[in-house]
Amino acid sequence: MREILPVLNGWYAAGAPFGLATVVAVSRSAPRDPGAAMAVGPGDEVVGSVSGGCVEGAVFELARQVVASGETRLETFGYSDADAFAVGLTCGGEITVLVRPVSPAHDTAFGAVADAVAAHEPVTVATVADGPAPRGATLAVWPDRVRGTLGTQGLDAAVTADARGELALGATGLRHYGPHGQRREDAVAVFLHSFAPPPRMLVFGAIDYAAAVAGIGAFLGYRVTACDARPVFATPRRFPDGVEVVVDWPHRYLRGTDTDDRTVICVLTHDPKFDVPLLEEALRRPAAYIGAMGSRRTHDDRRARLVEAGLTERELARLRSPVGLDLGARTPEEVAVSVAAEIVALRWGGSGEPLTATAGAIHGRPPATR
């Protein structure tokens, strides 16, 4: 959804109604996670995807229908659906898609939500998916305000409280309530779609490997900052567009920067005078991933220096060094792929083994960290 919001906001600002399809639930090996979205706008223009191609044709028709009728639809596609093969769903899972019309008349908060997401301001959108409440009704919840209604004060109050909790975690999914927000009932299904600011990737070092890692980090959706103490190297021309470049001593910059449990820190300076004080700071603060580049000899020397600096075994156990998975990488771009693979595997609990050597579900593994 985040990727297609600029297009949707343009349609919305122009007053052009569009059909917005959002995956609200999945089972087994469905190809996309909850929150994946596709929209059909003016002139039957299509943006986004809900299934990677499996059911796009059927969802396209649904989106056109809801724009014409003004009525929200909830549909499940999968092997339990008699029409599953006809629409091409051969991936073995099920997806439930909420398709609703969007225009200033149907959703007065959509523009404000899109603007908030563009400004990296956290917001959750709650939408009634099913049950005795107005299907398609939305409530936008910010940390300090709300806009819209789901039909009753009690339901709005309960969902607002839950939405703020989920926003802190960046979580998205269906929640169930009674018609007036009763938490022990499940009559009303509400989809909470959290738009937390994108996680940060901090890349230290202004070498070719750092530029490649910064580029793949931006591709994965991180807000990337590259930092190096040497102004002759730390220049925007050495990094992909959209990467923030900072000239500062790495440990000093990190000390003044907020991190959280989603932050990725990549130490590619490969110089003890930068690495050691930087890792002292990094290993004592919140982060999802802390990796450092270097040979095994470099790693052993760096570890000894960190022990001498007073880091504990528990703190040192957080360090991924040498950085990356064993892909046989040689070039900066190949090394960047190995680093990205390790970050993704750590986030979702992947083994890093070839899928041909594993068994069981490919998708749907619970995340190891958030």
Side-chain angles (χ1 to χ4, degrees), residues 92-107:
E94 291 183 352
I95 60 172
T96 300
V97 182
L98 182 71
V99 191
R100 66 185 181 95
V102 179
S103 69
H106 288 103
D107 186 345

Side-chain angles (χ1 to χ4, degrees), residues 317-337:
R318 302 178 62 204
L319 179 60
R320 315 290 290 195
S321 174
V323 71
L325 296 185
D326 180 13
L327 304 183
R330 295 292 186 272
T331 68
E333 292 75 19
E334 289 173 345
V335 169
V337 170

Side-chain angles (χ1 to χ4, degrees), residues 146-213:
V146 300
R147 187 166 171 180
T149 181
L150 302 181
T152 68
Q153 279 190 330
L155 185 57
D156 286 350
V159 170
T160 295
D162 288 352
R164 286 177 174 151
E166 299 295 79
L167 187 58
L169 300 173
T172 287
L174 279 174
R175 302 293 180 268
H176 295 85
Y177 306 87
H180 298 280
Q182 301 95 321
R183 296 183 184 277
R184 293 188 177 182
E185 298 184 23
D186 61 1
V188 181
V190 179
F191 183 65
L192 302 184
H193 194 168
S194 295
F195 294 93
R200 297 200 66 182
M201 173 183 279
L202 305 177
V203 179
F204 294 97
I207 59 176
D208 290 346
Y209 292 94
V213 170

Side-chain angles (χ1 to χ4, degrees), residues 82-121:
D83 297 324
F85 188 77
V87 300
L89 186 62
T90 57
C91 54
E94 291 183 352
I95 60 172
T96 300
V97 182
L98 182 71
V99 191
R100 66 185 181 95
V102 179
S103 69
H106 288 103
D107 186 345
T108 60
F110 187 88
V113 169
D115 290 342
V117 174
H120 303 309
E121 183 181 358

